[in-house]
Amino acid sequence: MLIIYSLIILLTFSAFSIIMLSNYKNSQVRNTEIRLFQTANIVADTYKGNRDEMIFTRMMVRSYGMQANARILVVDSNREVLIDNYNDYIGNKIDNIEIRNSLEGKSSSNLYKLENKEVLQLSVPVILNEFGEDKIIGAILISYDMALIKDNVAQLQKDMIKIGSIGLLMSLLLTIFASHNLTKPLRDLTIGVEKISEGELGYIVESKTKDEVGKLIDTFNNMSSTLSRIEKNRRNYINSISHELKTPLTSIKVLIESLSLGNRDVDTYKEYLQDIHEETERMERLVNYLMKSLKLEESVLNVREEDLSQILKEIVKLIIPYADRNQVCINFTCAENIKVKCDKDKVKEMVFNLLDNSIKYKDPSKEKSLVYISLEKRNSVALLTVEDNGVGIDEKKLDDIFNRGFRVLEGQSHGDSKVEGYGIGLAVVKSIIDKHGWNISVKSTLNEGSIFKIQIPIG
Ligand code: ADP
């Protein structure tokens, strides 16, 4: 990754440098050309006005040549050199394309490469106006060694390489720093995933950013906490079932041991056998309940259009004797003729579990234990509410109550006797609701009571 970044930076900078240097060189050549054309025209004017005073003209040309740092030749119309600021070509005939162009009245310039030298050569015509007519009486040729421009470009190139190297180094350092920082949360997350796969459920990765990676870490942390909670519930579940099974088994064992001591009368035998029978029934109930709850996960709904009002009436009728036995008063209000698509048996089981809990978790310290069950129609939704004034549930534990095996053990005792349960009832309720695609919400306050609300689409 780092190599790719470096290459990208290097290539970008090289392309930028090449374009910069070429632009710089072109602009230098253009400026020099303009400046030399100006000098050539000044020389042409000086020569034109002082043809009779050649000594003065030569002096002037020498001075212009020094200023421009170039060779200046003045040739006549026969291409013979009249003035050369370096004196080498005086009297010689010069024949090159620039002179030929200028003797035809045109200015021209060319860049020549000679061995390792570059020379800019340009010429302008010397035009005299006599009696209203233009006459070409010669040409001015200037040769300029481009070494100076070349030096400037080379210097700029060196500077750019220096700046580029420093820039490249700094950007590499920044890239290393940034990529290290960027990948740190991902590395932490990888460690987290490894921990989870090693069984360390509940492992939390520290999240410092609010970007996409931060969100991913938050999601991971939620998943980790949920897994840890599920695992805790599973243990509790197994624990409570083992406990529930162990109690009747121990009783049966003790009863059988007592019986085997012999010398008991028939009535004692009958009484002991009755006790053994009750304990066996208790175990059978538990095993049946477990099997039923496990089967529910696999079961397929038998959905039909049903009259929900009717279903509720049937359950309430069934549960009232049980509520009476537990001194709980059931209050039932029901909108008529609410038709919904559902599995009747499953809905009955769901409502039964909710009502059973409302009765089971009544608050013995209250003067009157009340359970309200109501069915109302709200637009296209039927709202089923089961409310009680029982012991209530701690708000912090509400998130867990639908998990299989979860039980809120504190504050739920009828006097001294513990309320029987395996933490399955609400898991079954939730499973039935999810299978129907409905929605359940719960509000509860400790020592005040609980409200379970189920929204069911009508029709
Ligand atoms: P359980 O077999 O323990 O009743 P549930 O799954 O039916 O299992 O309920 C889970 C836990 O939620 C219960 O142990 C109880 O603490 C709490 N709970 C459920 N319904 C009520 C209620 N109406 N009032 C108070 N607590 C409740």
Side-chain angles (χ1 to χ4, degrees), residues 321-396:
Y322 170 65
D324 287 346
R325 274 202 306 280
N326 286 282
Q327 289 94 43
V328 176
C329 177
I330 302 257
N331 200 315
F332 178 44
T333 50
C334 183
E336 289 300 324
N337 206 21
I338 294 193
K339 297 272 176 13
V340 299
K341 289 199 178 74
C342 66
D343 182 321
K344 188 174 175 179
D345 291 338
K346 299 285 183 296
V347 171
K348 273 188 174 175
E349 187 170 355
M350 173 188 92
V351 179
F352 179 82
N353 282 355
L354 288 174
L355 288 175
D356 182 39
N357 277 348
S358 292
I359 296 167
K360 255 190 340 189
Y361 299 109
K362 70 174 189 179
D363 187 349
S365 65
K366 283 186 187 136
E367 207 178 304
K368 215 168 179 199
S369 292
L370 301 165
V371 174
Y372 300 93
I373 170 161
S374 69
L375 180 68
E376 319 161 44
K377 194 176 165 189
R378 288 202 185 158
N379 301 324
S380 55
V381 172
L383 187 67
L384 172 63
T385 310
V386 177
E387 183 176 355
D388 62 62
N389 68 343
V391 291
I393 307 163
D394 184 351
E395 214 181 315
K396 282 180 236 137

Coordinates of all heavy atoms in Angstrom, one line a residue, residues 321-396:
P321 N -61.2 -19.0 36.6 CA -61.2 -19.8 37.8 C -59.8 -19.8 38.4 O -59.6 -19.7 39.6 CB -61.6 -21.2 37.3 CG -62.2 -21.0 36.0 CD -61.7 -19.7 35.4
Y322 N -58.7 -19.9 37.5 CA -57.3 -19.9 38.0 C -57.0 -18.6 38.7 O -56.4 -18.5 39.8 CB -56.4 -20.1 36.8 CG -55.0 -20.0 37.0 CD1 -54.3 -20.8 37.9 CD2 -54.2 -19.0 36.4 CE1 -52.9 -20.6 38.1 CE2 -52.9 -18.8 36.5 CZ -52.2 -19.7 37.4 OH -50.9 -19.5 37.6
A323 N -57.5 -17.4 38.1 CA -57.3 -16.1 38.7 C -58.0 -16.0 40.1 O -57.4 -15.5 41.1 CB -57.7 -15.0 37.8
D324 N -59.2 -16.5 40.1 CA -59.9 -16.5 41.4 C -59.2 -17.3 42.5 O -59.1 -16.8 43.6 CB -61.3 -17.2 41.2 CG -62.3 -16.2 40.4 OD1 -61.9 -15.0 40.2 OD2 -63.3 -16.7 39.9
R325 N -58.7 -18.4 42.1 CA -57.9 -19.2 43.1 C -56.8 -18.4 43.6 O -56.4 -18.6 44.8 CB -57.4 -20.5 42.4 CG -58.4 -21.7 42.4 CD -57.8 -23.0 42.3 NE -56.9 -23.2 41.1 CZ -57.3 -23.4 39.9 NH1 -58.6 -23.5 39.6 NH2 -56.5 -23.6 38.9
N326 N -56.2 -17.6 42.8 CA -55.0 -16.8 43.2 C -55.4 -15.4 43.7 O -54.5 -14.5 43.9 CB -54.0 -16.7 42.1 CG -53.3 -18.0 41.8 OD1 -52.4 -18.3 42.5 ND2 -53.7 -18.7 40.8
Q327 N -56.7 -15.2 44.0 CA -57.2 -13.9 44.4 C -56.7 -12.7 43.5 O -56.3 -11.7 44.0 CB -56.8 -13.6 45.9 CG -57.4 -14.4 46.9 CD -56.5 -15.6 47.3 OE1 -55.3 -15.5 47.4 NE2 -57.1 -16.8 47.4
V328 N -56.9 -13.0 42.2 CA -56.6 -11.9 41.3 C -57.9 -11.6 40.5 O -58.5 -12.5 40.0 CB -55.5 -12.3 40.3 CG1 -55.2 -11.2 39.2 CG2 -54.2 -12.6 41.0
C329 N -58.2 -10.3 40.4 CA -59.4 -9.9 39.7 C -59.1 -9.6 38.2 O -58.2 -8.8 37.9 CB -60.0 -8.7 40.4 SG -61.4 -8.1 39.7
I330 N -59.8 -10.3 37.3 CA -59.6 -10.0 35.9 C -60.6 -9.0 35.4 O -61.8 -9.2 35.6 CB -59.7 -11.3 35.0 CG1 -58.7 -12.3 35.5 CG2 -59.5 -11.0 33.5 CD1 -57.4 -12.6 34.7
N331 N -60.1 -8.0 34.7 CA -61.0 -7.0 34.1 C -60.9 -7.0 32.6 O -59.8 -6.8 32.1 CB -60.5 -5.6 34.6 CG -61.6 -4.6 34.5 OD1 -62.2 -4.5 33.5 ND2 -61.8 -3.8 35.6
F332 N -61.9 -7.3 31.9 CA -61.8 -7.6 30.4 C -62.7 -6.7 29.6 O -63.9 -6.6 29.8 CB -62.2 -9.1 30.2 CG -62.1 -9.5 28.8 CD1 -61.1 -9.2 27.9 CD2 -63.2 -10.3 28.3 CE1 -61.1 -9.6 26.6 CE2 -63.1 -10.8 27.0 CZ -62.1 -10.4 26.1
T333 N -62.1 -5.9 28.7 CA -62.9 -5.2 27.7 C -62.5 -5.5 26.3 O -61.3 -5.7 26.0 CB -62.7 -3.6 27.9 OG1 -61.3 -3.4 27.8 CG2 -63.4 -3.1 29.1
C334 N -63.5 -5.7 25.4 CA -63.2 -6.2 24.1 C -64.1 -5.6 23.0 O -65.3 -5.6 23.1 CB -63.4 -7.7 24.2 SG -63.0 -8.6 22.7
A335 N -63.4 -5.1 22.0 CA -64.1 -4.6 20.8 C -64.6 -5.8 20.1 O -63.9 -6.8 20.0 CB -63.2 -3.7 20.0
E336 N -65.8 -5.7 19.5 CA -66.4 -6.9 18.9 C -65.9 -7.1 17.4 O -65.5 -6.1 16.8 CB -67.9 -6.8 18.8 CG -68.6 -6.9 20.2 CD -68.4 -8.3 20.9 OE1 -68.3 -9.3 20.1 OE2 -68.2 -8.3 22.1
N337 N -65.9 -8.3 17.0 CA -65.8 -8.7 15.6 C -64.4 -8.2 15.0 O -64.5 -7.6 13.9 CB -67.0 -8.1 14.9 CG -67.2 -8.9 13.6 OD1 -66.8 -10.1 13.5 ND2 -67.9 -8.3 12.6
I338 N -63.3 -8.4 15.7 CA -62.0 -8.0 15.1 C -61.4 -9.2 14.4 O -61.0 -10.2 15.1 CB -61.1 -7.4 16.2 CG1 -61.7 -6.1 16.7 CG2 -59.7 -7.2 15.6 CD1 -60.9 -5.2 17.5
K339 N -61.4 -9.1 13.1 CA -60.9 -10.2 12.3 C -59.4 -10.1 12.0 O -59.0 -9.0 11.4 CB -61.7 -10.4 11.0 CG -63.2 -10.6 11.2 CD -63.4 -12.1 11.3 CE -64.8 -12.6 11.6 NZ -65.9 -11.9 11.5
V340 N -58.6 -11.1 12.3 CA -57.2 -11.0 12.0 C -56.7 -12.3 11.5 O -57.3 -13.4 11.7 CB -56.3 -10.6 13.2 CG1 -56.6 -9.3 13.8 CG2 -56.3 -11.7 14.3
K341 N -55.6 -12.3 10.7 CA -55.0 -13.5 10.2 C -54.0 -14.0 11.2 O -53.0 -13.4 11.5 CB -54.3 -13.3 8.9 CG -55.2 -12.9 7.7 CD -54.6 -13.2 6.4 CE -55.5 -12.9 5.3 NZ -55.8 -11.5 5.0
C342 N -54.3 -15.2 11.8 CA -53.4 -15.8 12.8 C -53.6 -17.3 13.0 O -54.5 -17.9 12.4 CB -53.7 -15.1 14.1 SG -55.4 -15.4 14.8
D343 N -52.7 -17.8 13.8 CA -52.8 -19.2 14.2 C -53.5 -19.2 15.5 O -52.9 -18.8 16.5 CB -51.4 -19.8 14.3 CG -51.5 -21.3 14.6 OD1 -52.3 -21.7 15.4 OD2 -50.7 -22.1 14.1
K344 N -54.8 -19.7 15.5 CA -55.6 -19.6 16.7 C -55.0 -20.2 18.0 O -54.9 -19.5 19.0 CB -57.0 -20.2 16.5 CG -58.0 -20.0 17.5 CD -59.3 -20.6 17.1 CE -60.3 -20.5 18.2 NZ -61.6 -21.0 17.8
D345 N -54.4 -21.4 17.8 CA -53.9 -22.1 19.0 C -52.7 -21.3 19.6 O -52.5 -21.2 20.8 CB -53.4 -23.5 18.6 CG -54.7 -24.3 18.3 OD1 -55.8 -24.0 18.8 OD2 -54.5 -25.4 17.6
K346 N -51.9 -20.8 18.6 CA -50.6 -20.1 19.1 C -51.0 -18.8 19.8 O -50.4 -18.4 20.8 CB -49.7 -19.8 17.9 CG -49.2 -21.0 17.1 CD -48.1 -21.7 17.9 CE -47.5 -22.9 17.2 NZ -48.4 -24.0 16.9
V347 N -52.1 -18.1 19.2 CA -52.5 -16.9 19.9 C -53.0 -17.2 21.3 O -52.8 -16.4 22.2 CB -53.6 -16.2 19.0 CG1 -54.2 -15.0 19.7 CG2 -52.9 -15.7 17.7
K348 N -53.7 -18.2 21.4 CA -54.3 -18.6 22.7 C -53.1 -18.8 23.7 O -53.1 -18.3 24.8 CB -55.1 -19.9 22.6 CG -56.5 -19.7 22.2 CD -57.2 -21.0 22.3 CE -58.7 -20.8 22.1 NZ -59.4 -22.1 22.1
E349 N -52.1 -19.5 23.2 CA -50.9 -19.8 24.1 C -50.2 -18.5 24.5 O -49.9 -18.4 25.6 CB -50.0 -20.7 23.3 CG -48.9 -21.2 24.1 CD -48.0 -22.3 23.5 OE1 -48.4 -22.7 22.3 OE2 -47.0 -22.7 24.1
M350 N -50.1 -17.6 23.5 CA -49.5 -16.4 23.7 C -50.2 -15.6 24.8 O -49.6 -15.1 25.8 CB -49.4 -15.6 22.4 CG -48.9 -14.2 22.5 SD -49.2 -13.4 20.9 CE -50.8 -12.7 21.2
V351 N -51.5 -15.4 24.7 CA -52.3 -14.6 25.6 C -52.3 -15.4 27.0 O -52.2 -14.7 28.0 CB -53.8 -14.4 25.1 CG1 -54.6 -13.6 26.1 CG2 -53.7 -13.7 23.8
F352 N -52.4 -16.7 26.9 CA -52.4 -17.4 28.2 C -51.1 -17.2 29.0 O -51.1 -16.9 30.2 CB -52.5 -18.9 27.9 CG -52.5 -19.7 29.2 CD1 -53.7 -19.9 29.9 CD2 -51.4 -20.3 29.6 CE1 -53.7 -20.6 31.1 CE2 -51.3 -21.0 30.8 CZ -52.5 -21.2 31.5
N353 N -49.9 -17.2 28.3 CA -48.7 -16.9 28.9 C -48.6 -15.6 29.6 O -48.2 -15.4 30.7 CB -47.5 -17.1 28.0 CG -47.2 -18.5 27.7 OD1 -47.8 -19.4 28.3 ND2 -46.3 -18.8 26.7
L354 N -49.1 -14.6 28.8 CA -49.1 -13.2 29.4 C -50.0 -13.1 30.6 O -49.6 -12.5 31.6 CB -49.6 -12.2 28.3 CG -48.6 -11.9 27.2 CD1 -49.3 -11.0 26.1 CD2 -47.3 -11.3 27.7
L355 N -51.2 -13.7 30.5 CA -52.1 -13.6 31.7 C -51.6 -14.4 32.9 O -51.7 -14.0 34.0 CB -53.5 -14.2 31.3 CG -54.3 -13.2 30.3 CD1 -55.6 -13.9 29.9 CD2 -54.6 -11.9 31.0
D356 N -51.0 -15.6 32.5 CA -50.4 -16.4 33.6 C -49.4 -15.6 34.4 O -49.3 -15.7 35.6 CB -49.8 -17.7 32.9 CG -49.2 -18.6 33.9 OD1 -49.8 -18.8 35.0 OD2 -48.1 -19.2 33.7
N357 N -48.5 -14.9 33.6 CA -47.5 -14.1 34.3 C -48.1 -13.0 35.1 O -47.6 -12.8 36.3 CB -46.5 -13.4 33.2 CG -45.5 -14.4 32.8 OD1 -45.3 -15.4 33.3 ND2 -44.8 -14.0 31.7
S358 N -49.1 -12.4 34.6 CA -49.7 -11.3 35.3 C -50.3 -11.8 36.7 O -50.4 -11.0 37.7 CB -50.9 -10.6 34.5 OG -50.3 -10.0 33.4
I359 N -50.8 -13.0 36.6 CA -51.4 -13.6 37.9 C -50.2 -14.0 38.8 O -50.2 -13.7 40.0 CB -52.3 -14.7 37.5 CG1 -53.5 -14.2 36.7 CG2 -52.8 -15.5 38.8 CD1 -54.4 -15.3 36.1
K360 N -49.2 -14.7 38.1 CA -48.1 -15.3 38.9 C -47.3 -14.2 39.6 O -46.9 -14.3 40.8 CB -47.1 -16.0 37.9 CG -47.2 -17.5 38.0 CD -46.1 -18.2 37.3 CE -45.3 -17.6 36.2 NZ -44.4 -18.5 35.5
Y361 N -47.1 -13.1 38.9 CA -46.2 -12.0 39.5 C -47.1 -10.9 40.1 O -46.8 -9.8 40.0 CB -45.3 -11.5 38.4 CG -44.4 -12.6 37.9 CD1 -44.5 -13.1 36.6 CD2 -43.4 -13.2 38.8 CE1 -43.7 -14.2 36.2 CE2 -42.6 -14.2 38.3 CZ -42.8 -14.7 37.1 OH -42.0 -15.8 36.7
K362 N -48.1 -11.3 40.7 CA -49.0 -10.3 41.5 C -48.2 -9.9 42.7 O -47.2 -10.5 43.1 CB -50.3 -11.0 41.9 CG -50.1 -12.0 43.0 CD -51.5 -12.5 43.5 CE -51.3 -13.4 44.7 NZ -52.5 -13.9 45.2
D363 N -48.6 -8.7 43.2 CA -47.9 -8.2 44.3 C -48.7 -8.5 45.6 O -49.7 -7.8 45.8 CB -47.7 -6.6 44.1 CG -46.8 -6.0 45.2 OD1 -46.5 -6.7 46.2 OD2 -46.4 -4.9 45.0
P364 N -48.2 -9.4 46.5 CA -49.0 -9.8 47.6 C -49.2 -8.7 48.6 O -50.2 -8.7 49.4 CB -48.2 -10.9 48.3 CG -47.0 -11.1 47.4 CD -46.9 -10.1 46.4
S365 N -48.3 -7.7 48.5 CA -48.5 -6.6 49.5 C -49.6 -5.6 49.1 O -50.0 -4.8 49.9 CB -47.2 -5.8 49.6 OG -46.9 -5.2 48.4
K366 N -50.1 -5.8 47.9 CA -51.2 -4.9 47.5 C -52.6 -5.4 48.0 O -52.8 -6.7 48.0 CB -51.2 -4.7 46.0 CG -50.1 -3.8 45.6 CD -50.1 -3.4 44.2 CE -48.8 -2.6 44.0 NZ -48.1 -2.9 42.8
E367 N -53.5 -4.5 48.3 CA -54.8 -4.9 48.8 C -55.5 -5.7 47.8 O -56.1 -6.8 48.1 CB -55.6 -3.6 49.1 CG -56.6 -3.8 50.2 CD -57.3 -2.5 50.5 OE1 -56.6 -1.5 50.8 OE2 -58.5 -2.5 50.4
K368 N -55.5 -5.3 46.5 CA -56.2 -6.0 45.5 C -55.3 -6.2 44.3 O -54.7 -5.2 43.8 CB -57.4 -5.1 45.1 CG -58.6 -5.9 44.7 CD -59.8 -5.1 44.5 CE -61.0 -6.0 44.1 NZ -62.1 -5.3 43.6
S369 N -55.2 -7.4 43.8 CA -54.4 -7.7 42.6 C -55.3 -7.6 41.4 O -56.3 -8.4 41.3 CB -53.7 -9.1 42.7 OG -52.8 -9.0 43.8
L370 N -54.9 -6.8 40.4 CA -55.8 -6.6 39.3 C -55.0 -6.9 38.0 O -53.9 -6.6 37.9 CB -56.2 -5.1 39.2 CG -57.0 -4.6 40.4 CD1 -57.1 -3.1 40.4 CD2 -58.4 -5.2 40.4
V371 N -55.8 -7.5 37.0 CA -55.2 -7.7 35.7 C -56.3 -7.2 34.7 O -57.5 -7.5 34.8 CB -55.0 -9.2 35.4 CG1 -54.5 -9.4 34.0 CG2 -53.9 -9.7 36.3
Y372 N -55.8 -6.3 33.8 CA -56.7 -5.7 32.8 C -56.3 -6.3 31.5 O -55.1 -6.3 31.1 CB -56.6 -4.2 32.7 CG -56.9 -3.5 33.9 CD1 -55.9 -3.1 34.8 CD2 -58.3 -3.1 34.2 CE1 -56.2 -2.5 36.0 CE2 -58.6 -2.4 35.4 CZ -57.5 -2.1 36.3 OH -57.8 -1.4 37.4
I373 N -57.3 -6.8 30.7 CA -57.0 -7.3 29.4 C -58.0 -6.6 28.5 O -59.2 -6.5 28.7 CB -57.0 -8.8 29.2 CG1 -57.0 -9.2 27.8 CG2 -58.2 -9.5 29.9 CD1 -56.5 -10.6 27.5
S374 N -57.5 -5.9 27.4 CA -58.4 -5.2 26.5 C -58.0 -5.4 25.1 O -56.8 -5.6 24.7 CB -58.4 -3.7 26.9 OG -57.2 -3.2 26.5
L375 N -59.0 -5.3 24.2 CA -58.7 -5.4 22.8 C -59.5 -4.2 22.1 O -60.7 -4.1 22.3 CB -59.3 -6.7 22.2 CG -59.1 -6.9 20.7 CD1 -57.6 -7.1 20.4 CD2 -59.9 -8.1 20.2
E376 N -58.7 -3.3 21.5 CA -59.3 -2.2 20.8 C -58.9 -2.1 19.4 O -57.9 -2.7 19.0 CB -58.8 -0.8 21.4 CG -58.6 -0.8 22.9 CD -57.7 0.4 23.2 OE1 -57.9 1.5 22.7 OE2 -56.8 0.2 24.0
K377 N -59.7 -1.4 18.6 CA -59.4 -1.2 17.2 C -58.9 0.2 17.0 O -59.5 1.2 17.4 CB -60.7 -1.4 16.4 CG -60.4 -1.6 14.9 CD -61.7 -1.9 14.2 CE -61.5 -1.7 12.7 NZ -62.6 -1.8 12.0
R378 N -57.7 0.3 16.4 CA -57.1 1.7 16.1 C -56.7 1.7 14.7 O -55.8 1.1 14.3 CB -55.9 1.9 17.0 CG -56.3 2.1 18.4 CD -55.2 2.9 19.1 NE -55.6 3.0 20.5 CZ -54.7 3.2 21.5 NH1 -53.4 3.3 21.2 NH2 -55.1 3.2 22.7
N379 N -57.5 2.4 13.9 CA -57.4 2.4 12.4 C -57.3 1.0 11.9 O -58.2 0.2 12.1 CB -56.1 3.2 12.0 CG -56.3 4.7 12.5 OD1 -57.4 5.2 12.6 ND2 -55.1 5.2 13.0
S380 N -56.2 0.6 11.3 CA -56.1 -0.7 10.7 C -55.4 -1.7 11.6 O -54.9 -2.7 11.2 CB -55.4 -0.6 9.3 OG -54.1 0.0 9.5
V381 N -55.3 -1.3 12.9 CA -54.5 -2.1 13.8 C -55.4 -2.5 15.0 O -56.1 -1.7 15.5 CB -53.2 -1.4 14.3 CG1 -52.5 -2.1 15.4 CG2 -52.3 -1.2 13.1
A382 N -55.2 -3.8 15.5 CA -55.9 -4.2 16.7 C -54.9 -4.1 17.8 O -53.7 -4.5 17.6 CB -56.4 -5.6 16.6
L383 N -55.2 -3.4 18.9 CA -54.3 -3.3 20.0 C -54.7 -4.2 21.2 O -55.8 -3.9 21.8 CB -54.2 -1.8 20.4 CG -53.2 -1.5 21.5 CD1 -51.8 -1.7 20.9 CD2 -53.3 -0.1 22.0
L384 N -53.9 -5.1 21.5 CA -54.2 -6.1 22.6 C -53.3 -5.7 23.8 O -52.1 -5.6 23.7 CB -53.9 -7.5 22.2 CG -53.9 -8.6 23.2 CD1 -55.3 -8.7 23.8 CD2 -53.5 -9.9 22.6
T385 N -53.9 -5.3 24.9 CA -53.2 -4.9 26.1 C -53.4 -5.8 27.3 O -54.5 -6.1 27.6 CB -53.6 -3.4 26.5 OG1 -53.6 -2.6 25.3 CG2 -52.7 -2.8 27.5
V386 N -52.3 -6.2 27.9 CA -52.4 -7.0 29.2 C -51.7 -6.2 30.2 O -50.5 -5.9 30.1 CB -51.8 -8.4 29.0 CG1 -51.9 -9.1 30.4 CG2 -52.5 -9.2 28.0
E387 N -52.4 -5.7 31.2 CA -51.8 -4.8 32.2 C -52.1 -5.4 33.6 O -53.1 -5.9 33.9 CB -52.5 -3.4 32.1 CG -51.9 -2.4 33.0 CD -52.5 -1.0 32.8 OE1 -53.3 -0.8 31.9 OE2 -52.1 -0.1 33.6
D388 N -51.1 -5.2 34.5 CA -51.3 -5.7 35.9 C -50.7 -4.7 36.9 O -49.9 -3.8 36.5 CB -50.7 -7.1 36.1 CG -49.2 -7.1 35.9 OD1 -48.5 -6.4 36.7 OD2 -48.8 -7.8 35.0
N389 N -51.1 -4.9 38.1 CA -50.6 -4.0 39.2 C -49.7 -4.9 40.1 O -49.6 -4.8 41.3 CB -51.6 -3.3 40.0 CG -52.5 -4.3 40.8 OD1 -52.4 -5.5 40.6 ND2 -53.2 -3.8 41.8
G390 N -48.9 -5.8 39.4 CA -48.1 -6.8 40.1 C -46.8 -6.2 40.6 O -46.6 -5.0 40.7
V391 N -45.8 -7.1 40.7 CA -44.5 -6.7 41.3 C -43.7 -5.8 40.4 O -42.8 -5.1 40.8 CB -43.6 -7.9 41.7 CG1 -44.2 -8.6 42.9 CG2 -43.4 -8.8 40.5
G392 N -44.0 -5.8 39.0 CA -43.2 -5.0 38.1 C -41.9 -5.6 37.8 O -41.4 -6.5 38.5
I393 N -41.2 -5.0 36.8 CA -39.9 -5.5 36.4 C -38.9 -4.3 36.4 O -39.3 -3.2 36.0 CB -39.9 -6.1 35.0 CG1 -41.0 -7.1 34.9 CG2 -38.6 -6.7 34.6 CD1 -41.4 -7.5 33.5
D394 N -37.7 -4.5 36.9 CA -36.7 -3.5 36.9 C -36.4 -3.1 35.4 O -36.2 -3.9 34.6 CB -35.4 -4.1 37.5 CG -34.3 -3.0 37.7 OD1 -34.5 -1.9 37.1 OD2 -33.3 -3.4 38.3
E395 N -36.5 -1.7 35.2 CA -36.3 -1.2 33.9 C -35.1 -1.7 33.1 O -35.1 -2.0 32.0 CB -36.3 0.3 33.9 CG -36.9 1.0 32.8 CD -36.8 2.5 32.9 OE1 -37.1 3.0 34.0 OE2 -36.5 3.1 31.9
K396 N -34.0 -1.9 33.9 CA -32.7 -2.3 33.3 C -32.8 -3.8 32.8 O -32.0 -4.2 32.0 CB -31.6 -2.3 34.4 CG -31.1 -0.9 34.7 CD -30.0 -0.9 35.7 CE -30.4 0.0 36.9 NZ -30.1 -0.6 38.2

